């Protein structure tokens, strides 16, 4: 079984920065052989969960939601089974519960249903 644990959330003023981390443990056969893409999603109160950023297994390809492009950077460290989301120039509308997700699918899926493994989430609150 694969487990994901996020950390790094907190309260920050608008314009500030946070760095989220996600550690992956456990393995499946497919992930061992094919690797896994990772992504960050977020869900604000009363809203649907949405894709924020994703990164391919080798880290050579990334994808961002338009609302965070230029402000957020996703990265990964496969040697240590870690993924990160550097968030700069934060805005109050970035306030949400942020989830780390992993999938054995090829590419960088952006749909929730394409991800098999999820963390419990870490809260990010941006004050105005």
């Amino acid at each position: 079984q694969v487990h994901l644990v996020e950390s790094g959330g907190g309260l920050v003023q608008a314009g500030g920065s946070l760095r989220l981390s996600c550690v992956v443990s456990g393995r499946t056969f497919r992930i061992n052989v094919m690797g896994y893409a990772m992504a960050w999603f977020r869900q604000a109160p009363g809203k649907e969960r949405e894709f924020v950023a994703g990164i391919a297994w080798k880290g050579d390809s990334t994808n961002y939601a338009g609302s965070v492009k230029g402000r957020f950077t996703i990265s990964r460290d496969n040697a240590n089974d870690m993924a990160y989301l550097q968030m700069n120039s934060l805005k109050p509308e970035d306030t949400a519960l942020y989830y780390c997700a992993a999938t054995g699918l090829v590419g960088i899926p952006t749909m929730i249903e394409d991800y098999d493994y999820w963390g419990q989430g870490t809260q990010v609150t941006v004050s105005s």
Side-chain angles (χ1 to χ4, degrees), residues 61-119:
S61 180
T62 57
N63 189 17
Y64 295 92
S67 59
V68 306
K69 194 172 294 184
R71 299 188 298 122
F72 291 10
T73 303
I74 188 171
S75 60
R76 65 188 299 164
D77 175 0
N78 287 345
N80 292 298
D81 293 321
M82 297 288 297
Y84 305 96
L85 185 68
Q86 178 66 44
M87 305 185 295
N88 298 329
S89 302
L90 282 161
K91 304 175 181 180
E93 50 263 44
D94 294 318
T95 295
L97 189 60
Y98 282 71
Y99 296 91
C100 177
T103 177
L105 294 179
V106 176
I108 309 173
T110 61
M111 305 297 289
I112 294 171
E113 54 265 32
D114 289 332
Y115 285 83
D116 301 308
Y117 309 105
W118 293 84

Tab-separated table of all heavy atoms in Angstrom, residues 61-119:
chain	number	residue	atom	x	y	z
A	61	SER	N	8.975	17.203	-16.592
A	61	SER	CA	7.767	17.822	-17.115
A	61	SER	C	6.868	18.222	-15.968
A	61	SER	O	6.687	17.454	-15.016
A	61	SER	CB	7.035	16.850	-18.049
A	61	SER	OG	5.869	17.437	-18.572
A	62	THR	N	6.329	19.427	-16.034
A	62	THR	CA	5.426	19.923	-15.001
A	62	THR	C	4.198	20.548	-15.654
A	62	THR	O	4.210	20.887	-16.845
A	62	THR	CB	6.102	20.971	-14.100
A	62	THR	OG1	6.580	22.046	-14.917
A	62	THR	CG2	7.262	20.365	-13.323
A	63	ASN	N	3.171	20.708	-14.851
A	63	ASN	CA	1.935	21.314	-15.335
A	63	ASN	C	1.321	22.097	-14.185
A	63	ASN	O	1.357	21.634	-13.031
A	63	ASN	CB	0.973	20.226	-15.821
A	63	ASN	CG	-0.222	20.786	-16.534
A	63	ASN	OD1	-0.221	21.937	-16.964
A	63	ASN	ND2	-1.261	19.978	-16.681
A	64	TYR	N	0.773	23.266	-14.481
A	64	TYR	CA	0.217	24.127	-13.450
A	64	TYR	C	-1.163	24.624	-13.837
A	64	TYR	O	-1.449	24.875	-15.017
A	64	TYR	CB	1.114	25.348	-13.214
A	64	TYR	CG	2.476	25.015	-12.669
A	64	TYR	CD1	3.550	24.798	-13.522
A	64	TYR	CD2	2.694	24.920	-11.299
A	64	TYR	CE1	4.804	24.482	-13.033
A	64	TYR	CE2	3.949	24.615	-10.790
A	64	TYR	CZ	4.994	24.398	-11.671
A	64	TYR	OH	6.234	24.086	-11.173
A	65	ALA	N	-1.989	24.819	-12.829
A	65	ALA	CA	-3.247	25.515	-13.057
A	65	ALA	C	-2.930	26.970	-13.368
A	65	ALA	O	-1.959	27.537	-12.852
A	65	ALA	CB	-4.126	25.420	-11.809
A	66	GLY	N	-3.776	27.573	-14.204
A	66	GLY	CA	-3.532	28.952	-14.595
A	66	GLY	C	-3.480	29.916	-13.426
A	66	GLY	O	-2.741	30.907	-13.450
A	67	SER	N	-4.237	29.615	-12.379
A	67	SER	CA	-4.338	30.524	-11.242
A	67	SER	C	-3.057	30.565	-10.402
A	67	SER	O	-2.872	31.502	-9.612
A	67	SER	CB	-5.511	30.123	-10.353
A	67	SER	OG	-5.343	28.793	-9.893
A	68	VAL	N	-2.172	29.579	-10.576
A	68	VAL	CA	-0.954	29.555	-9.767
A	68	VAL	C	0.307	29.644	-10.607
A	68	VAL	O	1.416	29.753	-10.051
A	68	VAL	CB	-0.889	28.281	-8.895
A	68	VAL	CG1	-2.153	28.137	-8.068
A	68	VAL	CG2	-0.641	27.031	-9.738
A	69	LYS	N	0.171	29.612	-11.906
A	69	LYS	CA	1.342	29.634	-12.781
A	69	LYS	C	2.140	30.912	-12.549
A	69	LYS	O	1.591	32.016	-12.487
A	69	LYS	CB	0.896	29.537	-14.238
A	69	LYS	CG	1.993	29.217	-15.210
A	69	LYS	CD	1.444	28.940	-16.586
A	69	LYS	CE	0.596	27.691	-16.622
A	69	LYS	NZ	0.137	27.348	-17.995
A	70	GLY	N	3.443	30.744	-12.393
A	70	GLY	CA	4.314	31.875	-12.126
A	70	GLY	C	4.492	32.179	-10.653
A	70	GLY	O	5.393	32.927	-10.274
A	71	ARG	N	3.650	31.593	-9.811
A	71	ARG	CA	3.753	31.825	-8.365
A	71	ARG	C	4.151	30.555	-7.624
A	71	ARG	O	4.847	30.613	-6.616
A	71	ARG	CB	2.425	32.329	-7.808
A	71	ARG	CG	1.956	33.631	-8.405
A	71	ARG	CD	0.725	34.175	-7.674
A	71	ARG	NE	-0.415	33.296	-7.765
A	71	ARG	CZ	-1.055	32.782	-6.713
A	71	ARG	NH1	-0.651	33.065	-5.480
A	71	ARG	NH2	-2.111	31.991	-6.885
A	72	PHE	N	3.691	29.401	-8.096
A	72	PHE	CA	3.962	28.125	-7.445
A	72	PHE	C	4.947	27.322	-8.286
A	72	PHE	O	4.932	27.394	-9.515
A	72	PHE	CB	2.680	27.311	-7.303
A	72	PHE	CG	1.671	27.852	-6.324
A	72	PHE	CD1	1.799	29.111	-5.755
A	72	PHE	CD2	0.576	27.082	-5.953
A	72	PHE	CE1	0.876	29.602	-4.858
A	72	PHE	CE2	-0.368	27.545	-5.057
A	72	PHE	CZ	-0.216	28.831	-4.518
A	73	THR	N	5.768	26.512	-7.592
A	73	THR	CA	6.705	25.630	-8.266
A	73	THR	C	6.653	24.251	-7.626
A	73	THR	O	6.838	24.129	-6.419
A	73	THR	CB	8.128	26.171	-8.190
A	73	THR	OG1	8.187	27.488	-8.758
A	73	THR	CG2	9.091	25.254	-8.950
A	74	ILE	N	6.404	23.245	-8.446
A	74	ILE	CA	6.403	21.863	-7.953
A	74	ILE	C	7.747	21.235	-8.282
A	74	ILE	O	8.347	21.506	-9.337
A	74	ILE	CB	5.239	21.054	-8.569
A	74	ILE	CG1	5.127	19.687	-7.895
A	74	ILE	CG2	5.385	20.936	-10.080
A	74	ILE	CD1	3.874	18.914	-8.283
A	75	SER	N	8.226	20.405	-7.365
A	75	SER	CA	9.481	19.693	-7.592
A	75	SER	C	9.409	18.357	-6.877
A	75	SER	O	8.477	18.102	-6.102
A	75	SER	CB	10.679	20.514	-7.090
A	75	SER	OG	10.564	20.777	-5.701
A	76	ARG	N	10.396	17.503	-7.129
A	76	ARG	CA	10.408	16.203	-6.473
A	76	ARG	C	11.838	15.725	-6.283
A	76	ARG	O	12.759	16.139	-7.005
A	76	ARG	CB	9.597	15.183	-7.260
A	76	ARG	CG	10.138	14.830	-8.618
A	76	ARG	CD	9.139	13.960	-9.387
A	76	ARG	NE	8.877	12.694	-8.705
A	76	ARG	CZ	7.845	11.890	-8.979
A	76	ARG	NH1	6.981	12.249	-9.929
A	76	ARG	NH2	7.674	10.754	-8.339
A	77	ASP	N	11.995	14.843	-5.318
A	77	ASP	CA	13.280	14.221	-5.010
A	77	ASP	C	13.020	12.730	-4.943
A	77	ASP	O	12.609	12.205	-3.902
A	77	ASP	CB	13.806	14.763	-3.682
A	77	ASP	CG	15.077	14.085	-3.214
A	77	ASP	OD1	15.577	13.181	-3.915
A	77	ASP	OD2	15.576	14.442	-2.137
A	78	ASN	N	13.235	12.035	-6.055
A	78	ASN	CA	12.894	10.616	-6.105
A	78	ASN	C	13.777	9.769	-5.193
A	78	ASN	O	13.349	8.720	-4.712
A	78	ASN	CB	12.990	10.109	-7.542
A	78	ASN	CG	11.846	10.621	-8.403
A	78	ASN	OD1	10.845	11.115	-7.895
A	78	ASN	ND2	12.000	10.524	-9.708
A	79	ALA	N	14.985	10.210	-4.958
A	79	ALA	CA	15.881	9.442	-4.095
A	79	ALA	C	15.328	9.332	-2.684
A	79	ALA	O	15.581	8.352	-1.975
A	79	ALA	CB	17.258	10.088	-4.071
A	80	ASN	N	14.561	10.345	-2.291
A	80	ASN	CA	14.000	10.363	-0.946
A	80	ASN	C	12.476	10.286	-0.937
A	80	ASN	O	11.854	10.488	0.111
A	80	ASN	CB	14.447	11.630	-0.219
A	80	ASN	CG	15.933	11.624	0.059
A	80	ASN	OD1	16.429	10.747	0.778
A	80	ASN	ND2	16.655	12.565	-0.535
A	81	ASP	N	11.888	9.987	-2.114
A	81	ASP	CA	10.433	9.831	-2.214
A	81	ASP	C	9.702	11.056	-1.684
A	81	ASP	O	8.762	10.930	-0.887
A	81	ASP	CB	9.974	8.569	-1.468
A	81	ASP	CG	10.467	7.296	-2.145
A	81	ASP	OD1	10.464	7.261	-3.385
A	81	ASP	OD2	10.864	6.364	-1.426
A	82	MET	N	10.144	12.211	-2.111
A	82	MET	CA	9.551	13.456	-1.654
A	82	MET	C	9.044	14.277	-2.840
A	82	MET	O	9.598	14.214	-3.939
A	82	MET	CB	10.570	14.302	-0.897
A	82	MET	CG	11.101	13.693	0.369
A	82	MET	SD	9.881	13.658	1.704
A	82	MET	CE	9.598	15.410	1.966
A	83	ALA	N	8.017	15.065	-2.583
A	83	ALA	CA	7.544	16.069	-3.527
A	83	ALA	C	7.330	17.361	-2.753
A	83	ALA	O	7.044	17.338	-1.553
A	83	ALA	CB	6.255	15.636	-4.201
A	84	TYR	N	7.460	18.473	-3.468
A	84	TYR	CA	7.372	19.771	-2.817
A	84	TYR	C	6.506	20.712	-3.651
A	84	TYR	O	6.405	20.565	-4.865
A	84	TYR	CB	8.765	20.391	-2.669
A	84	TYR	CG	9.753	19.513	-1.957
A	84	TYR	CD1	10.630	18.693	-2.664
A	84	TYR	CD2	9.805	19.493	-0.566
A	84	TYR	CE1	11.538	17.874	-2.021
A	84	TYR	CE2	10.712	18.675	0.100
A	84	TYR	CZ	11.569	17.876	-0.633
A	84	TYR	OH	12.458	17.065	0.019
A	85	LEU	N	5.930	21.682	-2.958
A	85	LEU	CA	5.221	22.761	-3.641
A	85	LEU	C	5.662	24.060	-2.994
A	85	LEU	O	5.289	24.340	-1.848
A	85	LEU	CB	3.702	22.590	-3.546
A	85	LEU	CG	2.898	23.621	-4.342
A	85	LEU	CD1	3.107	23.402	-5.844
A	85	LEU	CD2	1.411	23.525	-3.997
A	86	GLN	N	6.463	24.822	-3.718
A	86	GLN	CA	6.873	26.138	-3.258
A	86	GLN	C	5.828	27.143	-3.706
A	86	GLN	O	5.558	27.267	-4.904
A	86	GLN	CB	8.237	26.502	-3.848
A	86	GLN	CG	8.731	27.887	-3.466
A	86	GLN	CD	9.021	28.025	-1.992
A	86	GLN	OE1	9.630	27.155	-1.382
A	86	GLN	NE2	8.587	29.132	-1.400
A	87	MET	N	5.261	27.842	-2.736
A	87	MET	CA	4.183	28.783	-3.026
A	87	MET	C	4.629	30.188	-2.645
A	87	MET	O	4.888	30.462	-1.469
A	87	MET	CB	2.924	28.399	-2.249
A	87	MET	CG	2.473	26.963	-2.488
A	87	MET	SD	0.906	26.577	-1.681
A	87	MET	CE	1.361	26.745	0.031
A	88	ASN	N	4.725	31.040	-3.640
A	88	ASN	CA	5.129	32.429	-3.429
A	88	ASN	C	3.991	33.373	-3.786
A	88	ASN	O	3.034	32.987	-4.464
A	88	ASN	CB	6.347	32.763	-4.293
A	88	ASN	CG	7.560	31.921	-3.944
A	88	ASN	OD1	7.757	31.523	-2.799
A	88	ASN	ND2	8.383	31.639	-4.942
A	89	SER	N	4.104	34.605	-3.339
A	89	SER	CA	3.091	35.633	-3.636
A	89	SER	C	1.686	35.120	-3.341
A	89	SER	O	0.768	35.245	-4.159
A	89	SER	CB	3.201	36.066	-5.107
A	89	SER	OG	4.491	36.559	-5.390
A	90	LEU	N	1.528	34.547	-2.180
A	90	LEU	CA	0.250	33.928	-1.825
A	90	LEU	C	-0.854	34.971	-1.714
A	90	LEU	O	-0.618	36.118	-1.301
A	90	LEU	CB	0.387	33.164	-0.518
A	90	LEU	CG	1.074	31.802	-0.669
A	90	LEU	CD1	1.596	31.308	0.672
A	90	LEU	CD2	0.121	30.793	-1.279
A	91	LYS	N	-2.046	34.530	-2.090
A	91	LYS	CA	-3.229	35.387	-2.070
A	91	LYS	C	-4.290	34.762	-1.174
A	91	LYS	O	-4.289	33.536	-0.971
A	91	LYS	CB	-3.800	35.509	-3.488
A	91	LYS	CG	-2.814	36.010	-4.528
A	91	LYS	CD	-3.433	35.976	-5.914
A	91	LYS	CE	-2.449	36.450	-6.978
A	91	LYS	NZ	-3.047	36.416	-8.341
A	92	PRO	N	-5.201	35.557	-0.646
A	92	PRO	CA	-6.269	34.970	0.186
A	92	PRO	C	-7.043	33.868	-0.535
A	92	PRO	O	-7.476	32.899	0.111
A	92	PRO	CB	-7.161	36.179	0.485
A	92	PRO	CG	-6.218	37.340	0.477
A	92	PRO	CD	-5.239	37.029	-0.625
A	93	GLU	N	-7.176	33.966	-1.830
A	93	GLU	CA	-7.912	32.939	-2.581
A	93	GLU	C	-7.135	31.623	-2.707
A	93	GLU	O	-7.673	30.635	-3.210
A	93	GLU	CB	-8.304	33.447	-3.970
A	93	GLU	CG	-7.176	34.059	-4.762
A	93	GLU	CD	-7.137	35.584	-4.647
A	93	GLU	OE1	-7.302	36.098	-3.509
A	93	GLU	OE2	-6.911	36.249	-5.686
A	94	ASP	N	-5.890	31.608	-2.254
A	94	ASP	CA	-5.139	30.358	-2.202
A	94	ASP	C	-5.466	29.556	-0.941
A	94	ASP	O	-4.991	28.416	-0.781
A	94	ASP	CB	-3.631	30.628	-2.233
A	94	ASP	CG	-3.176	31.234	-3.558
A	94	ASP	OD1	-3.654	30.771	-4.612
A	94	ASP	OD2	-2.346	32.165	-3.524
A	95	THR	N	-6.235	30.134	-0.045
A	95	THR	CA	-6.609	29.438	1.186
A	95	THR	C	-7.390	28.177	0.856
A	95	THR	O	-8.396	28.215	0.141
A	95	THR	CB	-7.458	30.355	2.078
A	95	THR	OG1	-6.652	31.457	2.505
A	95	THR	CG2	-7.990	29.605	3.284
A	96	ALA	N	-6.900	27.046	1.359
A	96	ALA	CA	-7.526	25.758	1.066
A	96	ALA	C	-6.805	24.664	1.826
A	96	ALA	O	-5.726	24.881	2.398
A	96	ALA	CB	-7.474	25.462	-0.434
A	97	LEU	N	-7.389	23.486	1.780
A	97	LEU	CA	-6.712	22.276	2.246
A	97	LEU	C	-5.970	21.703	1.036
A	97	LEU	O	-6.592	21.440	0.001
A	97	LEU	CB	-7.732	21.283	2.786
A	97	LEU	CG	-7.199	20.051	3.511
A	97	LEU	CD1	-6.387	20.443	4.732
A	97	LEU	CD2	-8.359	19.145	3.918
A	98	TYR	N	-4.668	21.553	1.172
A	98	TYR	CA	-3.833	21.113	0.052
A	98	TYR	C	-3.517	19.627	0.200
A	98	TYR	O	-3.048	19.183	1.255
A	98	TYR	CB	-2.551	21.919	-0.006
A	98	TYR	CG	-2.745	23.287	-0.614
A	98	TYR	CD1	-3.435	24.271	0.080
A	98	TYR	CD2	-2.273	23.587	-1.886
A	98	TYR	CE1	-3.641	25.531	-0.481
A	98	TYR	CE2	-2.468	24.835	-2.454
A	98	TYR	CZ	-3.156	25.800	-1.750
A	98	TYR	OH	-3.364	27.046	-2.308
A	99	TYR	N	-3.756	18.883	-0.885
A	99	TYR	CA	-3.552	17.445	-0.894
A	99	TYR	C	-2.425	17.071	-1.856
A	99	TYR	O	-2.333	17.607	-2.963
A	99	TYR	CB	-4.807	16.724	-1.352
A	99	TYR	CG	-6.000	16.877	-0.456
A	99	TYR	CD1	-6.919	17.901	-0.654
A	99	TYR	CD2	-6.224	15.976	0.596
A	99	TYR	CE1	-8.035	18.031	0.167
A	99	TYR	CE2	-7.336	16.103	1.414
A	99	TYR	CZ	-8.232	17.127	1.194
A	99	TYR	OH	-9.331	17.260	2.003
A	100	CYS	N	-1.641	16.107	-1.442
A	100	CYS	CA	-0.650	15.485	-2.298
A	100	CYS	C	-1.271	14.205	-2.863
A	100	CYS	O	-1.994	13.499	-2.151
A	100	CYS	CB	0.586	15.167	-1.471
A	100	CYS	SG	1.897	14.326	-2.348
A	101	ALA	N	-0.983	13.912	-4.132
A	101	ALA	CA	-1.546	12.728	-4.766
A	101	ALA	C	-0.510	12.079	-5.672
A	101	ALA	O	0.383	12.762	-6.195
A	101	ALA	CB	-2.791	13.097	-5.566
A	102	ALA	N	-0.652	10.791	-5.873
A	102	ALA	CA	0.272	10.044	-6.732
A	102	ALA	C	-0.509	9.088	-7.626
A	102	ALA	O	-1.563	8.583	-7.237
A	102	ALA	CB	1.288	9.275	-5.902
A	103	THR	N	0.040	8.859	-8.820
A	103	THR	CA	-0.593	7.953	-9.761
A	103	THR	C	0.453	7.210	-10.570
A	103	THR	O	1.503	7.762	-10.879
A	103	THR	CB	-1.524	8.696	-10.729
A	103	THR	OG1	-2.059	7.762	-11.678
A	103	THR	CG2	-0.768	9.773	-11.503
A	104	GLY	N	0.143	5.968	-10.930
A	104	GLY	CA	1.030	5.204	-11.788
A	104	GLY	C	0.767	5.451	-13.266
A	104	GLY	O	1.437	4.872	-14.116
A	105	LEU	N	-0.177	6.314	-13.590
A	105	LEU	CA	-0.485	6.618	-14.982
A	105	LEU	C	0.644	7.423	-15.625
A	105	LEU	O	1.377	8.142	-14.952
A	105	LEU	CB	-1.787	7.406	-15.087
A	105	LEU	CG	-3.066	6.668	-14.667
A	105	LEU	CD1	-4.266	7.586	-14.798
A	105	LEU	CD2	-3.251	5.410	-15.492
A	106	VAL	N	0.743	7.313	-16.932
A	106	VAL	CA	1.767	8.030	-17.680
A	106	VAL	C	1.372	9.503	-17.812
A	106	VAL	O	0.186	9.836	-17.886
A	106	VAL	CB	1.931	7.406	-19.083
A	106	VAL	CG1	2.919	8.207	-19.924
A	106	VAL	CG2	2.385	5.964	-18.961
A	107	GLY	N	2.374	10.367	-17.848
A	107	GLY	CA	2.093	11.781	-18.027
A	107	GLY	C	1.788	12.472	-16.717
A	107	GLY	O	2.235	12.039	-15.651
A	108	ILE	N	1.031	13.554	-16.796
A	108	ILE	CA	0.644	14.310	-15.603
A	108	ILE	C	-0.870	14.506	-15.645
A	108	ILE	O	-1.368	15.527	-16.127
A	108	ILE	CB	1.345	15.678	-15.548
A	108	ILE	CG1	2.852	15.529	-15.744
A	108	ILE	CG2	1.047	16.344	-14.212
A	108	ILE	CD1	3.578	16.849	-15.857
A	109	PRO	N	-1.605	13.531	-15.156
A	109	PRO	CA	-3.063	13.696	-15.157
A	109	PRO	C	-3.486	14.888	-14.304
A	109	PRO	O	-2.808	15.251	-13.350
A	109	PRO	CB	-3.558	12.383	-14.543
A	109	PRO	CG	-2.429	11.421	-14.713
A	109	PRO	CD	-1.184	12.256	-14.619
A	110	THR	N	-4.604	15.475	-14.665
A	110	THR	CA	-5.123	16.607	-13.900
A	110	THR	C	-6.480	16.311	-13.271
A	110	THR	O	-7.024	17.151	-12.556
A	110	THR	CB	-5.259	17.855	-14.793
A	110	THR	OG1	-6.178	17.572	-15.847
A	110	THR	CG2	-3.918	18.251	-15.382
A	111	MET	N	-7.011	15.128	-13.535
A	111	MET	CA	-8.319	14.770	-13.011
A	111	MET	C	-8.184	14.013	-11.705
A	111	MET	O	-7.322	13.140	-11.560
A	111	MET	CB	-9.077	13.912	-14.025
A	111	MET	CG	-9.213	14.550	-15.396
A	111	MET	SD	-10.159	16.073	-15.354
A	111	MET	CE	-11.799	15.412	-15.048
A	112	ILE	N	-9.057	14.307	-10.770
A	112	ILE	CA	-9.016	13.657	-9.457
A	112	ILE	C	-9.078	12.146	-9.592
A	112	ILE	O	-8.330	11.425	-8.914
A	112	ILE	CB	-10.178	14.168	-8.591
A	112	ILE	CG1	-10.002	15.648	-8.275
A	112	ILE	CG2	-10.295	13.358	-7.301
A	112	ILE	CD1	-11.203	16.280	-7.619
A	113	GLU	N	-9.944	11.667	-10.465
A	113	GLU	CA	-10.171	10.227	-10.577
A	113	GLU	C	-8.970	9.471	-11.140
A	113	GLU	O	-8.939	8.246	-11.092
A	113	GLU	CB	-11.413	9.942	-11.418
A	113	GLU	CG	-11.405	10.604	-12.781
A	113	GLU	CD	-12.130	11.943	-12.778
A	113	GLU	OE1	-12.110	12.630	-11.745
A	113	GLU	OE2	-12.697	12.286	-13.817
A	114	ASP	N	-8.001	10.178	-11.673
A	114	ASP	CA	-6.805	9.536	-12.211
A	114	ASP	C	-5.749	9.242	-11.149
A	114	ASP	O	-4.744	8.608	-11.443
A	114	ASP	CB	-6.181	10.402	-13.305
A	114	ASP	CG	-7.027	10.413	-14.565
A	114	ASP	OD1	-7.734	9.415	-14.807
A	114	ASP	OD2	-6.990	11.424	-15.288
A	115	TYR	N	-5.969	9.734	-9.954
A	115	TYR	CA	-4.992	9.543	-8.889
A	115	TYR	C	-5.491	8.489	-7.902
A	115	TYR	O	-6.612	8.557	-7.426
A	115	TYR	CB	-4.713	10.874	-8.178
A	115	TYR	CG	-3.850	11.758	-9.032
A	115	TYR	CD1	-4.412	12.551	-10.031
A	115	TYR	CD2	-2.469	11.765	-8.889
A	115	TYR	CE1	-3.611	13.323	-10.856
A	115	TYR	CE2	-1.664	12.544	-9.706
A	115	TYR	CZ	-2.245	13.315	-10.687
A	115	TYR	OH	-1.456	14.078	-11.517
A	116	ASP	N	-4.621	7.531	-7.622
A	116	ASP	CA	-4.974	6.400	-6.773
A	116	ASP	C	-4.655	6.629	-5.308
A	116	ASP	O	-5.270	6.010	-4.446
A	116	ASP	CB	-4.207	5.151	-7.231
A	116	ASP	CG	-4.502	4.798	-8.677
A	116	ASP	OD1	-5.684	4.703	-9.021
A	116	ASP	OD2	-3.532	4.638	-9.447
A	117	TYR	N	-3.669	7.461	-5.049
A	117	TYR	CA	-3.163	7.602	-3.691
A	117	TYR	C	-3.197	9.069	-3.271
A	117	TYR	O	-2.751	9.940	-4.016
A	117	TYR	CB	-1.735	7.052	-3.608
A	117	TYR	CG	-1.619	5.668	-4.187
A	117	TYR	CD1	-1.022	5.454	-5.418
A	117	TYR	CD2	-2.157	4.570	-3.513
A	117	TYR	CE1	-0.953	4.181	-5.966
A	117	TYR	CE2	-2.083	3.303	-4.047
A	117	TYR	CZ	-1.486	3.111	-5.276
A	117	TYR	OH	-1.432	1.861	-5.808
A	118	TRP	N	-3.692	9.269	-2.050
A	118	TRP	CA	-3.887	10.616	-1.535
A	118	TRP	C	-3.400	10.719	-0.104
A	118	TRP	O	-3.508	9.769	0.678
A	118	TRP	CB	-5.379	10.978	-1.571
A	118	TRP	CG	-5.945	11.097	-2.939
A	118	TRP	CD1	-6.406	10.084	-3.729
A	118	TRP	CD2	-6.107	12.298	-3.693
A	118	TRP	NE1	-6.839	10.587	-4.934
A	118	TRP	CE2	-6.673	11.944	-4.940
A	118	TRP	CE3	-5.821	13.644	-3.446
A	118	TRP	CZ2	-6.967	12.882	-5.923
A	118	TRP	CZ3	-6.124	14.583	-4.419
A	118	TRP	CH2	-6.683	14.188	-5.636
A	119	GLY	N	-2.905	11.926	0.223
A	119	GLY	CA	-2.609	12.208	1.612
A	119	GLY	C	-3.841	12.760	2.303
A	119	GLY	O	-4.916	12.884	1.700
